[in-house]
Amino acid sequence: MSTSLNPLFYASSGEPLGYIQPDSLREIWFHTGTACNLACPFCLEGSKPGDDRLDRVTLEDVRPLMDEAKSLGVQQFSFTGGEPFIVKSFINILSYASSLNPCLVLTNGTDPVLSRLHQIETLVNSYHPISFRISIDYPNEKRHDASRGKGSFKKSWKSLELLRKRGFKVSIARQIGIDEDSATVDGEYRELFAQHGVPSDTTIVSFPDFLLPGSNPEVPFITERCMTTYHTEESRQAFMCSFSKMVIKKNGRMRIYACTLVDDDESYDLGGTLRESLGKRIMMRHHRCYSCFTFGSSCSEI
Ligand code: SF4
């Protein structure tokens, strides 16, 4: 490899790395922190009880960025963790967020949701709708509970049913198995939807294994040529980093990152305000960019 080429911008072959030139700003994700009530061994955020790789946020932390996002025409606020509902002020955060934009909350649907359902249901008539995506890794109780803990599968389905009965829209997140037949697996979920009184067309979002934060697997370089040979302008605009950003709190500071998948790499830190982050080119050098390139991975539902 030529010593004069910066690896942030060039593949080892010397070819320029592929990139996404952000096209719009339609969705902002807020990371509520990496603390979680569960400790799943595969968690792409490395979340677990007491984890503080990313700090918990407060309403005071996120309100200025929500206001800034609204002034920039952002149409959707989405939340991920950790488990958002273990954050004490999360109901207040969601209440304020849903006064500005439709909201999506990613949750494991276990005790933090069930114990705060009486608070969550007060938000059903928010000015903008709130929807929930619950992680149900596999359509099989034993396999799901093996990582999440005994009883988790039943609790997540219970949350899904109760949230839906209270008038919230729900979807699920699942994992993509190696060599799976995706249509068959989705069919197994649809059977479970029927058993739990959930509409058969409920959205299922599937994710590959993103590995733990800080992992550095060897994946092929994505070059500019890959991005023009295998992608079109339209498909490049579907990458999350083309139309969204993620807000995190790290070491006590609010920062804007390129997307939900790269908060373990400071070269994806785009600044402290949304305006500062606008228009910055996103280089496709993180191993998770390869998942976006290959599988079309996206956390977004817009
Ligand atoms: S992980 Fe995907 S969405 Fe994130 S910066 Fe890479 S290509 Fe963009």
Side-chain angles (χ1 to χ4, degrees):
M1 177 180 165
S2 165
T3 49
S4 60
L5 295 177
N6 184 337
L8 290 179
F9 301 103
Y10 291 92
S12 56
S13 63
E15 282 190 81
L17 283 181
Y19 63 87
I20 293 290
Q21 187 60 48
D23 160 73
S24 58
L25 188 60
R26 305 201 300 277
E27 179 174 26
I28 298 295
W29 286 79
F30 292 89
H31 201 299
T32 60
T34 45
C36 187
N37 60 311
L38 303 182
C40 309
F42 52 76
C43 180
L44 80 154
E45 293 293 340
S47 299
K48 56 187 175 307
D51 194 87
D52 61 359
R53 183 177 68 84
L54 301 182
D55 300 333
R56 296 181 195 215
V57 293
T58 64
L59 179 57
E60 289 66 39
D61 290 328
V62 295
R63 185 162 35 199
L65 290 156
M66 288 180 177
D67 292 342
E68 186 188 21
K70 187 71 183 170
S71 75
L72 291 169
V74 168
Q75 302 153 14
Q76 166 86 28
F77 292 147
S78 300
F79 297 87
T80 186
E83 169 51 50
F85 284 105
I86 68 166
V87 174
K88 207 171 163 194
S89 56
F90 188 59
I91 297 291
N92 291 340
I93 290 172
L94 199 49
S95 174
Y96 186 70
S98 60
S99 74
L100 300 177
N101 268 327
C103 294
L104 167 69
V105 183
L106 275 51
T107 170
N108 60 40
T110 60
D111 295 336
V113 170
L114 293 169
S115 65
R116 299 185 81 177
L117 201 63
H118 62 290
Q119 298 173 340
I120 299 170
E121 66 187 7
T122 64
L123 301 175
V124 75
N125 292 318
S126 295
Y127 191 73
H128 293 282
I130 300 170
S131 56
F132 296 90
R133 185 194 299 160
I134 297 180
S135 298
I136 300 180
D137 301 324
Y138 305 103
N140 175 289
E141 180 170 0
K142 214 169 161 190
R143 200 169 169 205
H144 174 94
D145 283 0
S147 300
R148 293 190 180 257
K150 201 166 165 38
S152 298
F153 188 81
K154 285 196 171 74
K155 286 176 187 172
S156 296
W157 280 105
K158 189 173 176 189
S159 290
L160 193 85
E161 280 180 44
L162 292 174
L163 288 167
R164 211 187 77 76
K165 278 188 187 146
R166 278 156 178 77
F168 296 105
K169 192 169 167 227
V170 294
S171 58
I172 67 156
R174 75 164 180 89
Q175 296 192 14
I176 302 175
I178 298 166
D179 297 333
E180 72 167 29
D181 175 345
S182 298
T184 302
V185 179
D186 283 348
E188 290 170 16
Y189 277 97
R190 307 262 174 231
E191 280 172 26
L192 286 165
F193 288 160
Q195 287 170 28
H196 290 273
V198 178
S200 63
D201 60 353
T202 295
T203 301
I204 301 172
V205 182
S206 309
F207 293 110
D209 185 357
F210 286 123
L211 306 180
L212 298 178
S215 300
N216 194 18
E218 212 168 286
V219 295
F221 284 103
I222 305 164
T223 62
E224 272 187 27
R225 197 161 45 86
C226 300
M227 289 302 285
T228 50
T229 305
Y230 302 107
H231 279 279
T232 62
E233 185 168 352
E234 194 184 353
S235 67
R236 287 192 294 273
Q237 286 174 1
F239 282 66
M240 278 191 296
C241 52
S242 175
F243 61 85
S244 70
K245 308 264 183 256
M246 182 162 79
V247 172
I248 67 171
K249 186 177 184 184
K250 204 171 192 175
N251 301 323
R253 294 191 313 155
M254 301 305 291
R255 306 299 298 169
I256 316 298
Y257 271 63
C259 79
T260 55
L261 298 174
V262 294
D263 61 37
D264 58 346
D265 182 335
E266 293 195 357
S267 70
Y268 289 90
D269 180 333
L270 305 178
T273 67
L274 292 170
R275 278 186 178 76
E276 206 181 318
S277 73
L278 290 178
K280 287 189 178 166
R281 182 175 283 192
I282 312 302
M283 301 308 297
M284 299 189 63
R285 48 171 290 279
H286 195 286
H287 70 90
R288 290 174 183 162
C289 299
Y290 185 70
S291 297
C292 295
F293 177 82
T294 312
F295 301 106
S297 304
S298 173
C299 298
S300 180
E301 287 190 32
I302 63 170

